[in-house]
Amino acid sequence: MPEATTDRDPVYRDTGNLIPRNRAAHPVPYDPDYKTSVTRSPNLPLLSMDSTLTEETGPVFGHTLLGPLDNNLILNFSQGRAPAVGERIRVHGRVMDEHGRGLPNTLVEVWQANAGGRYRHVKDTYFAPLDPNFGGCGRCLTDAHGNYEFMTIRPGAYPWPNRGNEWRPMHIHFSLFGHSFGQRLITQMYFEGDPLIDRCPIAATVKSRSQLDRLVAPLDMHGSRPMDYLAWKFDIVLRGRRQTLFENRMEGL
Amino acid sequence: MPQTLTTLTETASQTAGPYVHIGCIPTFTGIEGVYPEDLGKSPIRDGAKGEVITITGSVYDGTGWALRDAMMESWQADAAGLYPGQTGADPAVSGFCRFAADGMTGEFTLRTVKPGPVPLRQGGHQAPHIAIWIVARGINIGLNTRIYFEDEDNSTDPLLNRIEQRPRVDTLIARKTGPGAYRWDIRLQGQGETVFLDM
């Protein structure tokens, strides 16, 4: 968002193309240690091109979309009647672009397993029980500065079929929209100190250690509340747009 | 040491996993009542201008098996080629849709209006198209592609013209199967691999 300016100030506006994606910052599409990727990764190179209006525009969601419990996974499945079982946590952070500016009014969606590591999904057959008061989805819009928060329970680790004895670290799935379809991103947040992160072939699809570290949320005691919940902070960066300079020069200059 | 840049790097993607529906299309897996309705249930409302069309297809892996767990999103202009939010855009077109491969058959259907040609920044037009984003277990970063239409003039579209191997253009073109009905399949890998985009 441009700050208030005088007539003479140059104004940078995000009206340029999307900044091309740095693919080295992302997971490799093909990784034999994550077996399902072997038949689902393209063999041929992607077609690279400057973004067009198609990628630079995107759906806009308003506050009328949201219900009061949408970002409270402890209560939203029972609609406030009974809390979910598990360690109460607050997950919060800021959604920014590559220029480091907060992205206001952008939709953040999350989904996760329950405290026992079981998803409420037809395809999840793990014998850990479902929690009758936990659905596992939530959503919110970022505020004017790009901040978001959820209340939830800490998800459990769980086994999955891949190599012989495979366990996912505790994680929360995040879906981000930004302000354009080309910024669309799905990722996962891990928890600081979880020894399963370094054993996880899905986490290991991200080959840059610093990029993987950025998926690990630190414990945030300042954001927690005594006798109530712990907090974990997870900041997210989406693609930015090239900035173009609109020179509001005085006439004759 | 040079100065340090203050720009940030995009957060790394991770696979949407097999349970993406919980977060994105909760009713697909029986989660009712958390939200009034699934987000992006339809890209159009009654009264949307233009021709209503349905596009049916499947997402095939490298062995030719149709994924049962893929989720897709579409984003498009209205019949006049205007994106939602642009001045004069059709208020009955949200332009955004979420749809999933059927859990039994793997087939998906997108019901929408046919978009119009979209003007380019440097002049000229893009042929009518719908942007598609595909996520699933085993897809580590969402795949972007586009649907074009065989009964439109695609001859001057800059994206299609950039595809060196001309037979690969066909992977982005929906085939007409009847009045207002099209078929468009996605092949993630191997023979007939769909052209995926980095834009």
Side-chain angles (χ1 to χ4, degrees):
Chain A
M1 285 284 134
E3 302 296 323
T5 55
T6 69
D7 287 347
R8 293 182 201 185
D9 286 337
V11 178
Y12 286 94
R13 290 197 186 129
D14 285 1
T15 51
N17 299 92
L18 282 159
I19 295 169
R21 221 168 207 154
N22 174 8
R23 295 271 161 182
H26 286 286
V28 291
Y30 169 87
D31 194 331
D33 285 339
Y34 176 26
K35 294 182 182 179
T36 312
S37 75
V38 169
T39 57
R40 295 184 172 195
S41 44
N43 288 335
L44 298 172
L46 306 178
L47 180 70
S48 294
M49 224 177 112
D50 253 354
S51 62
T52 70
L53 200 54
T54 309
E55 292 74 34
E56 294 154 8
T57 53
V60 176
F61 306 106
H63 284 275
T64 54
L65 177 77
L66 301 179
L69 292 176
D70 279 10
N71 70 339
N72 188 331
L73 285 75
I74 297 174
L75 293 174
N76 69 12
F77 191 64
S78 71
Q79 288 297 297
R81 284 187 294 276
V85 171
E87 182 186 328
R88 295 163 58 80
I89 61 169
R90 170 176 176 243
V91 176
H92 71 117
R94 188 162 179 241
V95 182
M96 291 165 281
D97 68 10
E98 289 170 284
H99 303 295
R101 291 169 309 185
L103 288 176
N105 285 309
T106 177
L107 188 67
V108 182
E109 298 166 301
V110 294
W111 67 99
Q112 64 170 84
N114 70 22
R118 173 78 185 271
Y119 284 93
R120 187 174 286 278
H121 192 282
V122 283
K123 284 290 177 72
D124 190 353
T125 55
Y126 182 35
F127 59 73
L130 285 172
D131 177 346
N133 296 317
F134 188 72
C137 59
R139 62 185 181 184
C140 71
L141 285 169
T142 57
D143 69 13
H145 308 287
N147 297 309
Y148 73 88
E149 69 172 340
F150 291 95
M151 285 299 300
T152 186
I153 51 91
R154 182 134 89 141
Y158 59 86
W160 61 292
N162 188 53
R163 301 175 297 199
N165 184 17
E166 206 82 86
W167 292 75
R168 288 307 320 279
M170 299 173 283
H171 64 277
I172 299 176
H173 297 265
F174 274 73
S175 154
L176 290 306
F177 278 86
H179 295 155
S180 68
F181 200 60
Q183 288 176 299
R184 198 78 182 81
L185 184 75
I186 280 180
T187 188
Q188 300 182 28
M189 180 199 108
Y190 302 103
F191 291 84
E192 177 188 5
D194 186 342
L196 290 171
I197 297 170
D198 281 344
R199 296 171 183 269
C200 176
I202 289 178
T205 59
V206 180
K207 300 305 175 191
S208 156
R209 184 71 223 190
S210 61
Q211 281 295 94
L212 175 56
D213 286 345
R214 290 179 55 216
L215 299 182
V216 182
L219 177 68
D220 172 23
M221 290 307 286
H222 285 52
S224 69
R225 186 174 179 201
M227 307 305 288
D228 191 347
Y229 53 77
L230 284 172
W232 302 82
K233 184 142 195 300
F234 187 54
D235 291 335
I236 297 156
V237 177
L238 301 181
R239 294 173 70 185
R241 291 179 69 168
R242 289 210 296 267
Q243 295 179 318
T244 36
L245 176 61
F246 281 77
E247 289 170 280
N248 289 348
R249 289 182 182 167
M250 290 175 70
E251 212 171 325
L253 286 178
Chain B
M1 287 280 282
Q3 296 184 10
T4 305
L5 281 172
T6 57
T7 50
L8 303 175
T9 302
E10 188 186 10
T11 299
S13 168
Q14 289 272 265
T15 181
Y19 310 125
V20 58
H21 313 95
I22 295 173
C24 296
I25 314 180
T27 66
F28 180 93
T29 187
I31 297 175
E32 310 272 352
V34 176
Y35 310 139
E37 68 169 34
D38 291 335
L39 191 77
K41 206 172 163 186
S42 173
I44 53 171
R45 289 200 314 267
D46 287 346
K49 297 185 190 78
E51 182 193 0
V52 174
I53 58 169
T54 59
I55 301 161
T56 307
S58 291
V59 185
Y60 297 101
D61 72 10
T63 72
W65 176 251
L67 274 60
R68 268 63 172 172
D69 59 331
M71 187 192 84
M72 280 144 284
E73 291 180 355
S74 63
W75 173 244
Q76 64 168 92
D78 66 14
L82 293 170
Y83 280 97
Q86 286 190 282
T87 309
D90 185 346
V93 175
S94 78
F96 174 71
C97 190
R98 262 181 180 163
F99 48 102
D102 184 87
M104 301 300 283
T105 67
E107 201 156 87
F108 65 79
T109 300
L110 167 62
R111 182 178 177 276
T112 186
V113 290
K114 203 182 209 188
V118 174
L120 283 163
R121 203 182 255 112
Q122 62 272 31
H125 285 82
Q126 306 188 73
H129 65 275
I130 300 174
I132 299 290
W133 188 65
I134 307 147
V135 294
R137 173 172 65 98
I139 296 178
N140 291 333
I141 178 165
L143 294 167
N144 292 95
T145 185
R146 285 184 176 187
I147 305 174
Y148 288 83
F149 301 92
E150 73 166 344
D151 53 349
E152 295 286 338
D153 178 8
N154 296 314
S155 60
T156 60
D157 184 82
L159 187 150
L160 294 179
N161 284 332
R162 233 172 127 123
I163 299 171
E164 182 188 352
Q165 298 89 0
R166 301 312 295 163
R168 297 199 71 208
V169 172
D170 291 348
T171 67
L172 301 188
I173 295 179
R175 301 289 158 199
K176 199 155 188 178
T177 56
Y182 295 84
R183 177 85 196 179
W184 181 71
D185 291 310
I186 298 162
R187 290 184 174 77
L188 297 177
Q189 186 189 79
Q191 188 75 35
E193 185 174 307
T194 300
V195 174
F196 296 107
L197 307 172
D198 176 36
M199 296 178 73

